Amino acid sequence: MNPLLGSEPLIRSGFRLFFVEKGVIAMKRETRRVYKELAYFSSLGISVALAIFIGLGVGVWLDRKFETSPWLTLIFLIFGIIAGFRNIALVIKRARKL
């Protein structure tokens, strides 16, 4: 029987793959969940840094526009840090549901 068309398991490099009826390869649910969590957690650092730099950028831009240096930069930097911590809290909350 051709393994690409049948439903027999295929073992490759330690992962056990199963062929779905329509020819799509699906990993075990646990392995898929681990990869999904890994991708989600690895994007956390980028989202925190991005929130902080966006807050900083908006603050610097507003300070230059209204000549209020450094107050709006500091305020929006704090907003960015708060948004970054909020992203971390949301990830922890989502991880508990998984």
Side-chain angles (χ1 to χ4, degrees), residues 48-93:
V48 169
L50 195 62
I52 292 171
F53 283 120
I54 287 174
L56 182 65
V58 169
V60 168
W61 179 75
L62 288 174
D63 268 341
R64 288 181 182 169
K65 183 172 181 159
F66 297 116
E67 299 177 5
T68 58
S69 184
W71 300 111
L72 291 177
T73 299
L74 292 175
I75 290 170
F76 279 92
L77 178 62
I78 291 170
F79 284 158
I81 292 170
I82 291 170
F85 279 110
R86 181 182 172 272
N87 288 341
I88 292 172
L90 290 175
V91 167
I92 291 171
K93 185 177 178 181

Side-chain angles (χ1 to χ4, degrees), residues 10-26:
L10 175 69
I11 300 173
R12 245 188 223 170
S13 66
F15 295 110
R16 191 168 185 174
L17 304 174
F18 291 95
F19 293 100
V20 181
E21 294 175 8
K22 296 182 180 180
V24 178
I25 299 175

